Amino acid sequence: MDNNTPVYDFEDAINFISERCDTSKEIIETILMLEEDYMRSIGIISDEEPDIK
């Protein structure tokens, strides 16, 4: 990974959204976790390790 690769930081995402809307951090965290669950369920996210040699 090079220094220009964006990295998703969960806490930063929660803070970013919280600062821009009138919703608690706890609710935002729940929503983001459910979004991750959804992306797993449709195959966007995989828990399998890539087969890189």
Side-chain angles (χ1 to χ4, degrees):
M1 181 184 332
D2 64 5
N3 290 338
N4 295 324
T5 302
V7 176
Y8 183 89
D9 183 286
F10 190 70
E11 291 299 319
D12 283 346
I14 291 171
N15 291 330
F16 181 90
I17 296 167
S18 177
E19 291 169 2
R20 287 160 177 78
C21 67
D22 188 28
T23 305
S24 74
K25 288 183 180 184
E26 291 79 17
I27 290 174
I28 294 167
E29 180 177 2
T30 299
I31 291 168
L32 291 178
M33 290 171 55
L34 289 168
E35 178 185 35
E36 182 179 333
D37 290 346
Y38 171 72
M39 288 189 288
R40 260 192 191 83
S41 76
I42 62 172
I44 293 173
I45 297 175
S46 174
D47 292 325
E48 296 177 14
E49 291 293 321
D51 191 21
I52 300 175
K53 293 181 182 180

